[in-house]
Amino acid sequence: ILVVGMFFLPCSPRWLVQKGRRKEALKVLLTMRTPEEAAKEEEEIYQEIQASREEGEVAWSELFQGRCGRLVLLGIVLQILQQLVGMNAFMYFGPKIFESIGFDKNMFTTINNFVNFLASFPAVFLADRAGRRQLMIWSALGMTLACGLMGLMGTLYVVPRPADPLNPDVEAGVTVSNKSAGWG
């Protein structure tokens, strides 16, 4: 549907102005704006393009310098950390692991996905209020504690026992909820 729909989309007004086709750009803008607004916006686009041409071509190396370079590096590191958090282990291998210690794999998957879903809502509200950095720090701490506790319980209680002090489902839920709340 998307590919077919693309054939009916007009060209971008900015692209048209860059190619020297200002009248066509104005026609496209007129489909969305009043004549005055369209003319004003087309002129603004033209002025911006002229100003950027006077400044010269932007080099890719500028993307990796100064503050911009630090932000690019931060983005790359955060993406790597999100993959290394271990969420895939819970989502893909969790049912098999929990089934091997006596839990119903379908129940685990249901609970795991429900916790993941619910924990995403506080993240939406807290991201702007508390800040993304604080959210990530606290959820990373929660994931670290929950994973450490799960590892300890797995080491101490390889065979499921009724006397386990903590239910592995609870520990997995804490890890999943912390990941969803702060890391995405």
Side-chain angles (χ1 to χ4, degrees):
I1 293 173
L2 183 61
V3 173
V4 172
M6 287 173 47
F7 289 108
F8 299 101
L9 289 174
C11 291
S12 160
R14 182 170 300 281
W15 182 82
L16 289 168
V17 171
Q18 283 178 329
K19 299 299 179 190
R21 297 159 56 181
R22 291 183 67 179
K23 287 183 183 180
E24 289 179 58
L26 186 58
K27 284 181 186 176
V28 171
L29 288 169
L30 283 170
T31 63
M32 302 176 284
R33 312 263 191 270
T34 64
E36 297 81 26
E37 291 173 336
K40 181 181 175 190
E41 188 170 344
E42 188 276 332
E43 183 60 34
E44 288 174 0
I45 292 171
Y46 177 75
Q47 295 300 328
E48 288 174 10
I49 289 172
Q50 289 301 104
S52 67
R53 285 182 180 154
E54 290 173 10
E55 291 175 6
E57 289 293 318
V58 179
W60 280 100
S61 61
E62 291 180 37
L63 190 60
F64 304 104
Q65 296 174 352
R67 184 173 190 275
C68 190
R70 289 191 303 275
L71 292 174
V72 169
L73 179 64
L74 176 65
I76 291 169
V77 169
L78 286 176
Q79 289 296 311
I80 290 170
L81 288 175
Q82 283 185 331
Q83 290 303 310
L84 296 176
V85 160
M87 191 63 180
N88 291 341
F90 289 109
M91 294 302 190
Y92 299 118
F93 305 116
K96 183 173 259 183
I97 293 168
F98 280 86
E99 183 181 40
S100 73
I101 59 172
F103 290 97
D104 179 25
K105 69 178 182 179
N106 291 328
M107 181 60 77
F108 169 78
T109 302
T110 303
I111 292 169
N112 194 31
N113 290 336
F114 187 67
V115 167
N116 190 19
F117 174 74
L118 288 180
S120 298
F121 288 106
V124 171
F125 297 108
L126 290 174
D128 289 334
R129 288 173 181 77
R132 189 74 171 146
R133 183 173 187 262
Q134 287 296 320
L135 206 55
M136 292 179 83
I137 289 170
W138 285 103
S139 66
L141 179 64
M143 286 186 291
T144 302
L145 293 173
C147 284
L149 190 58
M150 254 192 303
L152 179 66
M153 292 291 123
T155 302
L156 295 176
Y157 301 98
V158 176
V159 179
R161 297 182 188 171
D164 282 353
L166 284 176
N167 185 332
D169 276 345
V170 173
E171 297 158 21
V174 171
T175 302
V176 170
S177 65
N178 277 289
K179 195 273 184 189
S180 297
W183 287 78

